[in-house]
Amino acid sequence: MIDAGTRLYCVFGNPARHSKGPVIHNAAFKDKGVNAVYLAFEVQDAAGAVQSVRTLDIQGASVTIPFKESIMEHLDWIDPAASAIGAVNTIVNKGGVLKGYNTDCQAAVAPLIPFGISGKTVCIVGAGGAARAVAHGIAAQNGDIIITNRTEQKGRALAEAVGARFIPGNKMADIPADVVINTTSIGMTPDVDQISFPPEAIRSEMVVMDVVYTPLKTRLLRTAEQKGCTTIDGLSMFIAQAAAQFELWTGIIPDVDLMRNIVIKN
Ligand code: NAP
């Protein structure tokens, strides 16, 4: 029941109306008996969003596109790992001190760890916010990273930051990858026929992961599945980063199967 003791959590983004955050966090609050509610706020600027956290004593927030970088300068403390990545996706309000964390990085790597990353050639398609989290996570696991991106300058900058090689988009088919990770929005609803990696370059031995989770089976994952590859969908990362946020906020480990099932149902 919502009452005077109910604490507020939220997501800041623009757009934010499509966010699955409210569905999973509210289900987890209910499941764990936490008197809290999570709402989606479509905001215009990072400074105003952070001010509202202070004014309303919001206990925690998820941060999504396009504020993951611009929010950082308004917080009181940034976790060193988030500083290295250059992006914050989680705000924790610790008694009025606003702390910034990045749970995307660990979440991106977690589903890949069972397949082994150390020494594997990992091709990361994209060089935006998601790519940075993924690349830092893979670098921490000693993967041999190749970055490819439409805008060469951004791709080269990320490659340099994580000690990786850069290969231009038109040379993607030549990349000898063991693991391919799409971190771009290519293939996302409504452009579901687009694919971020050349289908002819996908080989059955590859592990292929997509961070896009609408649709759950992107054309990249469908193609990889048809070729016999191991595939990992974007919901795995999304649930893992949300579960880590929930734990940072409440100190409670949520039921990730419940979170995944509720997203699939909604
Ligand atoms: P971002 O910072 O805006 O970066 C977008 C990236 O996609 C850039 O590398 C951009 O290339 C590339 N790109 C976009 N449209 C393209 C096109 N038509 N052709 C070629 N490249 C294109 O966005 P982001 O925050 O990284 O998010 C990217 C995707 O990841 C979104 O779909 C987001 O929903 C998803 N995501 C998922 C999770 C999860 O938990 N599963 C977490 C975070 C993000 P340029 O550099 O050339 O512009």
Side-chain angles (χ1 to χ4, degrees):
M1 188 182 79
I2 292 177
D3 61 18
T6 304
R7 311 315 303 264
L8 178 59
Y9 293 82
C10 66
V11 54
F12 293 124
N14 199 333
R17 295 284 166 236
H18 69 289
S19 171
K20 300 288 187 196
V23 168
I24 55 175
H25 285 298
N26 286 319
F29 285 142
K30 190 172 173 203
D31 181 52
K32 296 294 177 188
V34 179
N35 186 5
V37 66
Y38 180 109
L39 300 174
F41 292 132
E42 206 156 278
V43 295
Q44 298 305 318
D45 69 289
V50 173
Q51 187 52 50
S52 69
V53 174
R54 297 188 196 279
T55 306
L56 300 174
D57 197 27
I58 293 171
Q59 294 300 293
S62 311
V63 182
T64 187
I65 295 174
F67 301 117
K68 286 185 184 180
E69 289 126 52
S70 57
I71 207 106
M72 295 175 76
E73 64 174 295
H74 305 289
L75 301 177
D76 303 318
W77 180 85
I78 307 286
D79 178 60
S83 279
I85 297 162
V88 156
N89 77 329
T90 309
I91 301 172
V92 179
N93 183 346
K94 285 258 183 230
V97 178
L98 303 193
K99 299 188 167 189
Y101 296 86
N102 188 306
T103 66
D104 281 334
C105 180
Q106 241 183 303
V109 174
L112 286 165
I113 284 179
F115 304 103
I117 298 171
S118 180
K120 298 269 174 74
T121 302
V122 181
C123 171
I124 297 174
V125 185
R132 280 213 302 281
V134 169
H136 278 83
I138 299 290
Q141 297 289 326
N142 300 315
D144 177 16
I145 305 173
I146 297 175
I147 306 278
T148 178
N149 190 48
R150 176 179 62 181
T151 306
E152 184 162 339
Q153 196 189 359
K154 271 173 66 184
R156 285 196 185 281
L158 177 58
E160 197 179 325
V162 295
R165 287 170 284 162
F166 174 82
I167 293 188
N170 60 0
K171 297 266 167 37
M172 250 193 260
D174 304 336
I175 296 174
D178 300 307
V179 180
V180 172
I181 308 174
N182 172 52
T183 70
T184 74
S185 47
I186 296 172
M188 194 163 98
T189 308
D191 299 316
V192 295
D193 290 333
Q194 293 185 1
I195 188 162
S196 53
F197 195 81
E200 67 278 10
I202 297 175
R203 290 172 285 106
S204 60
E205 318 83 71
M206 289 176 167
V207 175
V208 178
M209 173 171 163
D210 207 326
V211 304
V212 171
Y213 59 92
T214 49
L216 201 52
K217 277 198 187 169
T218 56
R219 185 175 160 209
L220 175 67
L221 294 189
R222 280 187 277 119
T223 307
E225 223 173 64
Q226 280 158 14
K227 297 211 177 197
C229 304
T230 299
T231 59
I232 300 169
D233 65 49
L235 198 51
S236 309
M237 175 179 169
F238 181 70
I239 297 299
Q241 63 80 31
Q245 292 185 327
F246 191 91
E247 194 178 345
L248 278 171
W249 292 332
T250 63
I252 300 168
I253 298 172
D255 179 344
V256 289
D257 291 334
L258 173 133
M259 284 176 146
R260 188 177 170 96
N261 290 337
I262 201 117
V263 172
I264 291 170
K265 268 195 226 140
N266 287 271

